[in-house]
Amino acid sequence: MALAVLFIGPFVWLLLAALKTKAEWVTIPAKILPEEPQWGNFTQALTEINFPAYLGNSAFLSFMFATLVTLSSAAVGFGFARLRGRGKRPLFVVVLSTMMLPQILTLIPTYVLFARVGLVNTYWPWVMWGLAASPFLVFLFRQFLAAIPAELEEAAIIDGCGYGRIFVQISLPLSRPVLLTSFLLSFTWTWGDWIAPALFLDPDTRPHCRSLSRRSTSTLMATPTPRCRRPPPPCTSYPSW
């Protein structure tokens, strides 16, 4: 019960914050409950910006990236799990080592690369990232596919199946739990991403999270922040008697 309260706490705080006024957002110390619930905030969020268009951008971008990165990661994981070849283990270690690189570290070089080929302000960077697979998802698929009995693969080879058909007709149907997990993780990653859309997309094609944050930031900047009253400076000049 305590764990459930801990997990539901951020959602309750989000709802209470949505019902506050602009002045209550920046009040120090922060107030938990709004003095008067502002239900009109939800109407403003839907009318002051083109919310349906931004929501459509988020849904399209997240669904496209999640689908591409799930399929590409499944294919790479299948290769590491079921295929034989020289250098497979060292190459798998190299793939896993890229997980130690923070994404923010490669964001600026990636932007420079896409800017030189004219792919900024388009969705092509997400297509490229999706086709390049994700190291974490590759590891996830590799571990799951390596546990599939080899007898299924051997029987399919005897029946004349190639590795491509084995991947599509045997490995993918058996990997439904991992496919769903990979899709949900990728979808939420893209849905809540803020810095990449701000860097690569123009305001008309950005997702909803970037547009809402831009609107709320401009609103907060326009709201005067209460300041603490400072004591007067000490007197340094004395009258002459």
Side-chain angles (χ1 to χ4, degrees):
M1 184 64 181
L3 188 61
V5 173
L6 181 63
F7 276 99
I8 204 174
F11 297 99
V12 175
W13 176 261
L14 184 65
L15 177 61
L16 294 176
L19 297 176
K20 293 181 180 180
T21 61
K22 300 176 183 178
E24 289 176 334
W25 289 348
V26 294
T27 300
I28 300 175
K31 297 181 179 180
I32 299 179
L33 297 176
E35 295 182 359
E36 184 178 353
Q38 304 293 319
W39 298 102
N41 291 342
F42 295 97
T43 305
Q44 290 181 348
L46 296 174
T47 56
E48 292 190 5
I49 64 173
N50 193 0
F51 188 80
Y54 292 128
L55 190 64
N57 294 341
S58 297
F60 172 75
L61 192 63
S62 302
F63 184 84
M64 176 191 64
F65 175 78
T67 303
L68 291 177
V69 76
T70 297
L71 294 178
S72 61
S73 300
V76 177
F78 175 81
F80 281 119
R82 313 306 301 185
L83 301 183
R84 301 176 181 85
R86 277 187 169 184
K88 185 177 71 172
R89 290 180 180 271
L91 185 59
F92 185 63
V93 173
V94 172
V95 172
L96 293 183
S97 64
T98 59
M99 296 173 59
M100 296 186 294
L101 291 176
Q103 185 180 5
I104 193 66
L105 189 66
T106 60
L107 194 59
I108 300 302
T110 305
Y111 174 81
V112 174
L113 177 63
F114 285 138
R116 289 181 177 178
V117 296
L119 296 182
V120 179
N121 295 330
T122 66
Y123 290 150
W124 279 107
W126 282 264
V127 175
M128 300 296 182
W129 291 330
L131 294 176
S134 168
F136 173 73
L137 299 180
V138 168
F139 172 76
L140 198 66
F141 277 103
R142 189 263 180 190
Q143 297 302 108
F144 184 86
L145 294 174
I148 296 178
E151 289 78 9
L152 294 176
E153 180 181 330
E154 294 172 357
I157 293 176
I158 292 175
D159 290 339
C161 292
Y163 282 104
R165 191 174 176 184
I166 293 174
F167 171 68
V168 173
Q169 295 187 355
I170 297 179
S171 297
L172 283 184
L174 294 176
S175 304
R176 290 174 184 173
V178 191
L179 289 172
L180 181 60
T181 302
S182 173
F183 183 86
L184 292 179
L185 288 176
S186 307
F187 190 91
T188 53
W189 290 343
T190 313
W191 185 270
D193 192 11
W194 185 88
I195 188 169
L199 194 62
F200 287 93
L201 298 177
D202 56 15
D204 294 333
T205 56
R206 287 173 182 171
H208 74 290
C209 62
R210 176 68 181 111
S211 303
L212 287 178
S213 65
R214 183 182 181 185
R215 173 62 183 172
S216 60
T217 302
S218 61
T219 302
L220 291 177
M221 292 296 292
T223 304
T225 304
R227 297 181 179 180
C228 299
R229 183 176 298 177
R230 296 182 180 180
C235 182
T236 56
S237 61
Y238 301 93
S240 57
W241 301 96

